[in-house]
Amino acid sequence: MIMPSRSTRNRAFLLSAALATASFSGTTLAEELRLITWGGYAPDDVVAQFEEETGIDVQVTLSNNEDMISKLRATGGAGFDLAQPSQDRVVGVQRQFNIYKPIDFSRVNTDQLQPSMVKATQESTELDGKFYGVPSVWGTSGLIVHSSVADIVSDYTDLCDSGVEGQVSYRLKRPTLIGFAFAMGMDPFAAYDNRDEYETIMTKVEDKLIDCKSNVKTYWTGGDQLLALLRTGEVKAAMAWDAGGWSLNAENPDIRFVAPESGALGWIDTFAIPRRSENEEAAYKWINFVMQPEIAARITNASGNFTASKGADEFVKADLRDAYRESFDDAAINNIKWYPPVPPGLETMEGQVLDRVQAAN
């Protein structure tokens, strides 16, 4: 069973069938919605129901962040009526290429959506007082913990507790830096615009991770590797994605995904309207249709990730629903630290920190 990492999703994307066909003189074409999205976000049965209820033909192109940006940049925001970029890949792209148009929230049924996710998406997609994204599908990284150490590990820095020495794994990637910073009582996202302050935070995290090295069984690099370590019990606590923890929980109820006390780290894939969309009305109809709880649950069942639809977990398949509810109550949802856009230069600094941690004895 493979853990659905963001990088894996980026590598494994499929490019689907083509753009809308051209019309010829005197012929009236059926109304259509041209959607560019991720695999699993537009299941065939959901598309069929939308088409039946609205009479709108849906043309789906499967993609990823880089491909969406490339296609929309090449056409100046044409070719599609609705896109689904991640929330931290909207503002920088819009500022540079002007490929989206602002969201008209009067046309979005926000009563269906988790308020904290609407707020987080608005904050991360705001440019010049306008918002460019509506929350759609989301996921987090946090802790995967065996019940035998559940009383020890409830936050990222607990991975450094002597009670789990040699039984811990996490990646040497930026989510580890961010998670440890929050668990140490700092707010790295608030320091994004202050390079000196951010460097101070990273220095403290670097020292902590170096001190923690004796606890680490291995720094995992692939989802299959980590799942195997957790299955065999070689690793009892790890920092990883929620979907991986839920898949392990289905195999072994003693293994759970835990939202850390300082907050899980969250990403949101959005709905965004391309600047030269030819059918905005259909785009808003799709947004409001798929965010109905019963429809959104079918997207979760297809993709393995939950949506911003409020109450949709009621309709998700039982094993996934129960694992989700055990991980996230309302307080844990509201405590998620959503990734904002990363300012230029910070990832280089983080890479240098990670290199020093790796090299330290």
Side-chain angles (χ1 to χ4, degrees):
M1 194 171 296
I2 298 174
M3 181 177 296
S5 72
R6 305 291 285 148
S7 61
T8 298
R9 293 166 61 200
N10 283 352
R11 290 194 301 272
F13 77 90
L14 303 172
L15 293 179
S16 105
L19 307 175
T21 54
S23 63
F24 28 79
S25 177
T27 300
T28 301
L29 291 178
E31 185 179 3
E32 68 179 4
L33 170 69
R34 299 164 302 167
L35 171 67
I36 185 165
T37 187
W38 300 82
Y41 289 12
D44 290 344
D45 62 316
V46 170
V47 170
Q49 183 176 338
F50 178 80
E51 290 178 335
E52 182 178 354
E53 292 186 10
T54 65
I56 299 170
D57 182 47
V58 181
Q59 301 294 327
V60 178
T61 297
L62 300 184
S63 186
N64 66 12
N65 277 316
E66 289 71 25
D67 184 64
M68 288 182 211
I69 294 167
S70 176
K71 281 180 164 55
L72 291 170
R73 178 186 175 187
T75 61
F80 298 95
D81 304 302
L82 184 62
Q84 295 205 249
S86 299
Q87 94 278 17
D88 58 350
R89 304 299 298 275
V90 175
V91 168
V93 171
Q94 176 62 14
R95 184 182 287 115
Q96 188 172 3
F97 304 122
N98 189 28
I99 58 175
Y100 297 116
K101 61 175 61 177
I103 295 294
D104 180 355
F105 272 92
S106 71
R107 300 167 75 178
V108 178
N109 184 359
T110 55
D111 289 343
Q112 297 184 138
L113 304 178
Q114 292 276 3
S116 64
M117 294 184 196
V118 174
K119 180 175 183 291
T121 304
Q122 288 180 332
E123 288 175 350
S124 61
T125 65
E126 186 272 331
L127 182 64
D128 297 330
K130 299 174 181 177
F131 305 119
Y132 288 83
V134 176
S136 172
V137 176
W138 64 277
T140 68
S141 57
L143 298 167
I144 300 178
V145 180
H146 191 275
S147 60
S148 62
V149 297
D151 59 336
I152 298 174
V153 180
S154 61
D155 212 339
Y156 303 108
T157 49
D158 294 335
L159 296 171
C160 303
D161 190 282
S162 60
V164 287
E165 185 173 1
Q167 303 176 83
V168 161
S169 187
Y170 45 81
R171 293 187 303 164
L172 284 181
K173 296 288 185 181
R174 72 181 310 266
T176 302
L177 301 177
I178 299 297
F180 268 69
F182 276 114
M184 293 168 68
M186 299 176 286
D187 187 343
F189 294 160
Y192 265 14
D193 294 327
N194 186 328
R195 187 179 178 89
D196 290 341
E197 183 181 351
Y198 196 76
E199 188 168 11
T200 298
I201 291 173
M202 288 297 104
T203 298
K204 293 177 181 178
V205 172
E206 177 182 340
D207 291 342
K208 181 68 173 178
L209 289 173
I210 290 173
D211 289 343
C212 194
K213 289 194 76 168
S214 63
N215 268 37
V216 179
K217 173 76 174 177
T218 186
Y219 297 116
W220 66 269
T221 56
D224 287 342
Q225 175 196 15
L226 178 63
L227 291 178
L229 290 166
L230 287 159
R231 284 190 184 102
T232 62
E234 294 176 78
V235 166
K236 295 293 180 64
M239 183 176 175
W241 295 285
D242 49 19
W246 294 331
S247 69
L248 285 170
N249 180 259
E251 302 171 22
N252 181 355
D254 285 332
I255 302 174
R256 291 180 51 213
F257 177 82
V258 175
E261 290 180 354
S262 60
L265 304 177
W267 53 264
I268 300 174
D269 289 334
T270 70
F271 295 110
I273 309 289
R275 182 169 61 85
R276 295 169 62 190
S277 167
E278 296 178 7
N279 199 341
E280 279 186 66
E281 183 63 27
Y284 284 106
K285 284 182 179 178
W286 175 265
I287 293 169
N288 291 326
F289 174 79
V290 299
M291 287 295 99
Q292 296 175 93
E294 292 187 52
I295 303 297
R298 286 150 62 184
I299 293 174
T300 294
N301 290 337
S303 68
N305 294 110
F306 281 79
T307 73
S309 175
K310 191 163 49 178
D313 58 301
E314 292 280 350
F315 306 99
V316 172
K317 55 188 180 184
D319 57 344
L320 185 54
R321 177 198 65 215
D322 293 345
Y324 163 78
R325 288 178 175 176
E326 195 171 3
S327 300
F328 288 105
D329 57 15
D330 287 343
I333 289 287
N334 292 331
N335 195 35
I336 292 172
K337 304 302 191 288
W338 301 106
Y339 284 108
V342 183
L346 291 195
E347 288 180 293
T348 300
M349 182 196 305
E350 293 164 348
Q352 293 167 349
V353 169
L354 293 166
D355 287 344
R356 289 193 295 268
V357 173
Q358 177 78 69
N361 295 320

